[in-house]
Structure formats: C-alpha cells, structure tokens
Amino acid sequence: MSVRAVLALGSNLGERSDTLSHAVADLVDTPHVRLREVSAVVQTKPVGGPEDQPDYLNMVLEVETDLDPHQLLAHCQSVENKHHRTREVRWGPRTLDVDIITYGDLTLNDDDLIIPHPRAHERAFVLAPWAWMDSNATLNGIPVGELAKAAGDLDGVEPYEAEPFEAGQ
C-alpha cells in the first residue's frame, strides 16, 4: 500500500541550500520513498528557540511511500543524521530538520510521532511553500493557503534565490 506524505525540510547552519538539495536526494534514495512534488525554497526568520539564530531555508516535499509512519520517521531521522543533525536545544539551530507534516489522512498521537504535525497549521514557513506547491492542499480540512495567510510568521517568509556563482570563487 502506498501513501502520500508531506515532509517539511529546514536548515540554518552550514551550506543551507546544498544541504536541502542533498537531503531531498537522500530522502528519495530508496525504492520505498518516491518524490511527487517539490516546493520553492523560502528564507525565513527563526520561530521559537534561542535568540540570534541564522535565518532558515525551508521547503516542502510531497512523497509517496510504502513505509509505515514510524519507518518513515526513522528514515527522515537517518537523513538528518547523515547531515550531522544534533539535538541539543529545542528549536535550536540545525544543519537539517525533516518533519512529517501529513501521512495520508492518518491522525496519530503517540510518544514518538504526532501526525498531522502539531504546529504545522500555524507556521507560514511550512504552509506558504506547501500552498505554492499544491494550491489544493488542505490541513485538517482547511486550505493551507488560508492557514498561511493567518500565520503569525508570514511576513518573515521570502522566496529564496541562491547567490549567483562568480568565477574565481
């Protein structure tokens, strides 16, 4: 059985853009996870966590998977680990964060995993790129575009354009 899942990726340490690109490839480098859609990348101010963090790059993916939710979580965490993710401070700076936002229509709340993601409905850094990627997407029955417009961090979400490469760098 195959299920569509939405994943949110973020990075605010190191080569953020490269990390996201490599993470997408790593996430789908298994026959159990297939890429369906990729959002644009956005640059955002940190939400929560310690002060004075660098800005994040964020994006959203839709994948199709035959992994169960906990297997998908383990896979996402293995990709985070490959990119040297550490968990020292809640909502602290990180090389890579991969969250499962939705897993089909599943609602799950156990010690290891909550689906839909418990804060996704209020985070424009997830909702805006998701809405741009899929204008028909809903979260808990509400269009993600509407949720994005109501999110408190919407004014901190900007389209990201990588610095152009210059000869001699």
Side-chain angles (χ1 to χ4, degrees), residues 57-162:
L57 293 185
N58 294 96
M59 65 186 304
V60 175
L61 311 177
E62 182 181 69
V63 299
E64 193 169 306
T65 183
D66 54 22
L67 298 175
D68 73 34
H70 290 93
Q71 291 170 327
L72 182 60
L73 175 64
H75 177 61
C76 291
Q77 289 174 338
S78 73
V79 171
E80 289 176 336
N81 292 339
K82 182 177 180 178
H83 292 276
H84 311 290
R85 165 72 189 265
T86 60
R87 289 174 168 76
E88 296 169 12
V89 177
R90 184 172 183 174
W91 297 329
R94 59 203 76 161
T95 55
L96 180 64
D97 185 38
V98 181
D99 289 328
I100 301 171
I101 305 302
T102 63
Y103 181 91
D105 294 329
L106 180 70
T107 299
L108 175 69
N109 188 344
D110 66 27
D111 291 340
D112 299 317
L113 185 57
I114 301 173
I115 299 174
H117 189 283
R119 291 170 297 284
H121 69 280
E122 60 192 24
R123 292 187 167 167
F125 64 84
V126 171
L127 298 165
W130 186 8
W132 300 334
M133 178 183 80
D134 180 359
S135 61
N136 296 315
T138 61
L139 181 61
N140 297 324
I142 303 169
V144 295
E146 285 181 26
L147 291 169
K149 289 176 188 172
D153 62 325
L154 183 61
D155 61 346
V157 175
E158 301 174 359
Y160 175 73
E161 294 187 28

Side-chain angles (χ1 to χ4, degrees), residues 19-30 35 61 75 79 82:
T19 297
L20 292 181
S21 295
H22 292 295
V24 171
D26 293 337
L27 284 163
V28 299
D29 189 22
T30 171
L35 187 61
L61 311 177
H75 177 61
V79 171
K82 182 177 180 178

